[in-house]
């Protein structure tokens, strides 16, 4: 059976509705499975995201990325039901997300270096027809490697891939197809609903041996067959894979920079009247810890900034709708004016009309959302007070995200205690 014949991915529009209600429902449904069941079964890629079969992972990443639900809420709900020991694996995975963000904050040159290499690699496709054909086959799911083609199409059609599939896919892209890793990372960013500059870029670098220097990930057919055994059409085959994964090399040395963090949460607001900006990585006020209601809500969604190439419809719609819905809900909740602002569209004017001198927004981590919005924020007059709001758990974790994940892992228990995540606030799960 060919990869094409196997494919019947349903629409994920209903499954991944970009609303707070859908996120809470997903969390509620998943919490009972977040303990030992998760630890034992999380590596199985059991089927497309719309299938009932895929119950072994939370699929919460699109909502977490958009800031519709927070890491704190997810951790709290899971710990309330399972306790730290049984939920250890799931908790650690959530901390991988926080770790990657903190790591990229401290080595921010990785992001522009990625963008530069991607643009160069895209230019090479125009100049080299053989390379262009290989690239088109990879992103079109027609390489002839059944498993790889399956995931390429699943990603484009659904906007989601299982973690293990992402690892195998990236490994085959780099070591078997020998395509530039940044083009694969770009393909993911254009189509993943959870596309995240830190988790994606650093995971691709991890597979290629650039994150943990010299340590690579080799996809093996027997491993793929084992962990895809429960797919609706049986295990996926992957013939002709590379037998070796020699580490990629790079000339740049991405030096660690000191973190320059804002105070956690909303301490800097000092009771000021402010406009709340909702964006693609902070789209919902209910997942934020606002000290008092804003006087104005502005939505600034820029999913196209992920790549110079077109962004997939599923991912784009998820991001846009998340901010649109967030703006409507915040306007209703706070009884204030709420509107969307297109690129370069009257931020200063909107603040002036409302008589506001302060803007607050969920912290913009290194990546394309920051690249797209920072120039507009920096263009505001000096008198405007710009207040990024960083969650307590990120504030407490990022200082440990200096090198490998182990530096964070050994601190998880104390961080949870420090920021008061102990399963005692059950609102999110109920
Ligand atoms: C090559 C590659 C690219 C990736 N790109 C992204 C990306 O753009 N955005 C993204 O959010 N994740 C990315 N990941 C990490 C991981 O694959 C996804 O977070 C996970 O598959 C999301 O599914 P889930 O919500 O069911 O995860 P679960 O297993 O239910 O985990 C719960 C949450 O923990 C976090 N998490 C879990 N595993 C990881 C991990 N390995 N690294 C970082 N965070 C993790 C996610 O926020 C996830 O929602 C990538 C991994 C690889 C190997």
């Amino acid at each position: 059976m060919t990869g094409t014949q196997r494919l019947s991915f349903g629409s994920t529009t209903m499954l991944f509705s970009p609303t707070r209600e859908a996120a809470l429902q997903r969390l509620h449904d998943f919490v009972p499975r977040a303990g030992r069941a998760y630890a034992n079964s999380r590596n199985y890629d059991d089927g497309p995201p719309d299938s009932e079969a895929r119950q072994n992972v939370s699929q919460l990443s699109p909502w977490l990325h958009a800031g519709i639900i927070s890491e704190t809420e997810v951790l709290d709900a899971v710990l309330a039901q399972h306790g730290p020991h049984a939920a250890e694996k799931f908790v650690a995975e959530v901390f991988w997300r926080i770790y990657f963000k903190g790591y990229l904050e401290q080595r921010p040159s990785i992001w522009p270096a990625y963008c530069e290499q991607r643009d160069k690699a895209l230019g090479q496709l125009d100049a080299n027809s053989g390379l262009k054909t290989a690239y088109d086959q990879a992103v079109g799911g027609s390489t002839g490697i059944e498993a790889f083609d399956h995931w390429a199409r699943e990603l484009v059609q659904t906007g989601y891939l299982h973690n293990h599939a992402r690892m195998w896919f990236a490994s085959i892209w780099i070591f078997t197809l020998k395509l530039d890793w940044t083009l694969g990372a770009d393909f993911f960013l254009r189509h993943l609903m959870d596309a995240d500059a830190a988790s994606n870029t650093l995971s691709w670098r991890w597979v290629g041996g650039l994150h943990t220097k010299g340590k690579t990930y080799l996809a093996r057919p027997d491993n793929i067959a084992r962990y895809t055994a429960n797919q609706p059409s049986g295990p996926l085959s992957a013939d002709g894979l590379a037998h070796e994964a020699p580490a990629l090399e790079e000339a740049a040395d991405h030096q660690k920079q000191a973190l320059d963090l804002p105070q956690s949460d909303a301490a800097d607001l000092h009771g000021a009247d402010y406009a709340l900006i909702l964006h693609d990585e902070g789209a919902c006020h209910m997942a934020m810890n606002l000290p008092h209601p804003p006087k104005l809500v502005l939505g600034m969604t820029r999913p196209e900034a992920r790549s110079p190439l077109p962004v997939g419809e599923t991912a784009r719609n998820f991001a846009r709708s998340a901010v649109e819905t967030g703006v409507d809900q915040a306007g209703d909740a706070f009884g204030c004016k709420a509107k969307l602002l297109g690129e370069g569209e009257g931020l200063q004017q909107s603040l002036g009309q409302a008589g506001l001198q302060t803007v607050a927004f969920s912290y913009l981590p290194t990546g394309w959302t920051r690249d797209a919005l920072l120039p507009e924020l920096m263009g505001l007059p000096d008198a405007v007070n710009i207040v990024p709001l960083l969650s307590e758990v990120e504030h407490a974790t990022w200082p440990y995200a200096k090198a490998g994940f182990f530096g964070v892992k050994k601190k998880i228990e104390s961080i949870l205690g420090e920021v008061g995540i102990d399963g005692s606030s059950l609102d999110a799960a109920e």
Side-chain angles (χ1 to χ4, degrees):
M1 194 180 275
T2 67
T4 316
Q5 283 168 315
R6 274 179 184 277
L7 293 164
S8 59
F9 305 115
S11 161
T12 48
T13 313
M14 291 302 289
L15 192 74
F16 290 102
S17 169
T19 63
R20 174 84 173 163
E21 294 70 28
L24 293 180
Q25 185 63 50
R26 173 62 55 82
L27 177 61
H28 178 271
D29 293 346
F30 180 71
V31 160
R33 302 190 295 271
R36 291 202 173 80
Y38 174 83
N40 294 334
S41 68
R42 59 180 283 273
N43 279 330
Y44 287 86
D45 180 13
D46 284 344
D50 60 324
S51 78
E52 280 300 306
R54 180 162 290 164
Q55 305 278 343
N56 57 335
V57 290
S58 72
Q59 297 181 98
L60 278 166
S61 53
W63 292 283
L64 278 167
H65 171 73
I68 296 173
I69 195 167
S70 71
E71 289 90 349
T72 303
E73 291 171 310
V74 171
L75 291 168
D76 217 17
V78 166
L79 286 168
Q81 184 145 344
H82 297 284
H85 195 59
E88 191 180 357
K89 192 68 200 165
F90 184 83
V91 168
E93 293 306 317
V94 176
F95 270 92
W96 266 101
R97 170 180 159 78
I98 303 170
Y99 157 76
F100 275 142
K101 269 175 144 179
Y103 185 95
L104 192 58
E105 272 326 281
Q106 294 177 78
R107 286 184 174 74
S109 63
I110 289 176
W111 175 249
Y114 153 76
C115 294
E116 197 182 314
Q117 186 174 332
R118 172 203 62 198
D119 293 348
K120 207 168 137 202
L122 285 171
Q124 282 164 355
L125 294 184
D126 293 335
N128 183 332
S129 61
L131 207 55
K132 175 84 168 73
T133 303
Y135 172 79
D136 286 343
Q137 284 173 347
V139 298
S142 59
T143 64
I145 303 170
E146 184 197 40
F148 183 92
D149 293 345
H150 175 95
W151 295 314
R153 287 160 186 258
E154 180 178 358
L155 172 62
V156 171
Q157 289 176 31
T158 70
Y160 176 86
L161 277 187
H162 184 275
N163 180 59
H164 220 162
R166 297 183 201 208
M167 291 164 63
W168 292 315
F169 188 97
S171 177
I172 296 170
W173 181 286
I174 295 170
F175 300 115
T176 298
L177 302 176
K178 300 197 186 307
L179 289 163
D180 190 293
W181 73 269
T182 62
L183 294 179
D186 175 69
F187 178 51
F188 270 25
L189 286 190
R190 288 190 291 116
H191 291 285
L192 283 170
M193 286 179 285
D194 65 27
D196 183 271
S199 287
N200 191 60
T201 313
L202 298 177
S203 294
W204 275 83
R205 287 174 61 84
W206 179 84
V207 171
L210 294 169
H211 185 70
T212 310
K213 294 275 178 242
K215 186 174 176 295
T216 57
Y217 177 75
L218 179 67
R220 287 183 289 105
D222 57 335
N223 183 261
I224 293 173
R226 175 175 169 203
Y227 286 103
T228 59
N230 302 327
Q231 286 275 340
S233 318
L236 299 172
S237 71
D239 297 331
L241 299 194
H243 297 292
E244 290 180 341
L248 301 176
E249 288 174 7
E250 64 184 348
D253 179 16
H254 299 291
Q255 291 288 329
K256 187 161 77 64
Q257 294 186 12
L259 277 171
D260 180 17
L261 299 180
Q263 290 179 43
S264 67
D265 287 325
D268 280 347
L269 278 167
H270 294 304
D273 286 345
Y274 67 101
L276 175 66
I277 295 178
L278 298 178
H279 57 75
D280 294 328
E281 301 182 44
C284 179
H285 74 276
M286 286 171 270
M288 299 162 75
N289 199 2
L290 299 175
H292 57 277
K295 298 286 182 199
L296 172 69
V297 175
L298 300 169
M300 299 171 81
T301 169
R302 307 284 185 268
E304 292 81 8
R306 296 169 187 210
S307 168
L309 296 182
V311 173
E313 201 183 336
T314 305
R316 198 182 56 233
N317 288 346
F318 187 91
R320 286 197 162 281
S321 306
V323 175
E324 284 164 13
T325 307
V327 166
D328 286 347
Q329 287 184 327
D332 288 348
F334 301 125
C336 67
K337 194 168 174 191
K339 62 177 179 177
L340 289 167
L341 290 182
E343 205 173 323
E345 216 177 76
L347 174 58
Q348 187 178 339
Q349 198 189 10
S350 301
L351 295 176
Q353 281 166 356
L356 295 171
Q357 297 274 28
T358 301
V359 290
F361 48 87
S362 183
Y363 185 87
L364 286 164
T366 303
W368 71 85
T369 312
R370 180 193 282 186
D371 291 350
L373 296 188
L374 212 57
E376 296 191 45
L377 291 165
M378 291 296 119
L380 291 171
D382 288 348
V384 176
N385 187 19
I386 295 174
V387 184
L389 306 172
L390 187 65
S391 74
E392 277 189 287
V393 69
E394 286 173 316
H395 198 274
T397 308
W398 286 1
Y400 301 112
K402 290 183 201 138
F405 178 67
F406 186 67
V408 163
K409 195 174 177 207
K410 64 185 184 198
K411 292 285 175 189
I412 290 177
E413 202 182 327
S414 68
I415 292 168
L416 290 173
E418 186 188 328
V419 302
I421 300 177
D422 55 7
S424 59
S425 59
L426 280 165
D427 293 357
E430 282 167 351

